[in-house]
Amino acid sequence: MSSLIPPFTLETATQKVRLAEDGWNSRDPERVSLVYTPDSRWRNRAEFITGRAEIVAFLTRKWAKELDYRLIKEIWAFTDNRIAVRFAYEWHDDSGNWFRSYGNENWEFDAAGLMQRRFACINDLPIRETERKYHWPLGRRPDDHPGLTELGL
């Protein structure tokens, strides 16, 4: 993992994006929080979050609401210590209403490769269950499952 530190190459930035996707698909707030600096700052939609404890609390709330969460991230651009990604995830609420949430994130990393800033813009699209495109078992997306571009997203 030590090679996944800034400055990024296309290969290391792409690996960083996949590792982030894998972490979020674990739906384990404690595990996910460890890739962020202790004082990491986020903007997620209209919510402002600072530090790992707030990240854990946020993700705990998120995954209690967004059931059967499955995420795909794709690199958009990168430079030195920053990576931009686009993503889409599918989930349903406790009433069985399905959604596909689309967004973009801008990430900034410290010298050790921990994310110190994360800015996310996200929109939710109601979908019918028959419109779902993510059908792998909960957890890591299989390597042979299509990404966003291949799915036409």
Side-chain angles (χ1 to χ4, degrees):
M1 264 299 183
S2 61
S3 63
L4 299 182
I5 59 173
F8 295 116
T9 64
L10 177 59
E11 180 183 357
T12 59
T14 300
Q15 289 173 354
K16 199 78 157 170
V17 171
R18 181 57 194 246
L19 287 173
E21 175 188 312
D22 292 349
W24 282 63
N25 276 329
S26 76
R27 296 175 330 279
D28 180 341
E30 292 288 341
R31 172 185 166 195
V32 172
S33 75
L34 297 178
V35 302
Y36 299 93
T37 60
D39 61 348
S40 184
R41 293 179 42 220
W42 288 18
R43 182 188 44 75
N44 194 89
R45 300 179 192 249
E47 191 167 350
F48 293 83
I49 300 158
T50 303
R52 287 183 180 159
E54 289 185 20
I55 290 169
V56 169
F58 168 81
L59 292 174
T60 300
R61 286 191 318 274
K62 173 184 180 64
W63 290 321
K65 174 188 172 205
E66 297 177 355
L67 307 174
D68 290 323
Y69 175 97
R70 290 172 178 85
L71 165 73
I72 299 177
K73 290 183 182 282
E74 185 174 280
I75 190 167
W76 187 254
F78 73 96
T79 185
D80 298 327
N81 70 332
R82 293 181 174 163
I83 299 174
V85 300
R86 66 187 199 95
F87 63 87
Y89 61 91
E90 293 181 349
W91 59 280
H92 67 85
D93 62 19
D94 60 3
S95 297
N97 300 302
W98 281 91
F99 299 87
R100 186 173 304 118
S101 299
Y102 296 93
N104 299 292
E105 293 176 320
N106 295 310
W107 301 341
E108 182 181 83
F109 296 87
D110 71 4
L114 295 176
M115 195 181 302
Q116 59 192 8
R117 290 193 218 172
R118 175 184 172 268
F119 304 106
C121 298
I122 307 167
N123 298 297
D124 300 320
L125 175 69
I127 61 172
R128 291 186 298 275
E129 187 169 3
T130 57
E131 296 175 297
R132 293 179 53 218
K133 296 180 180 282
Y134 304 175
H135 297 283
W136 68 85
L138 289 176
R140 185 178 193 277
R141 176 174 55 102
D143 290 335
D144 63 349
H145 189 282
L148 295 176
T149 298
E150 294 81 12
L151 290 169
L153 299 174

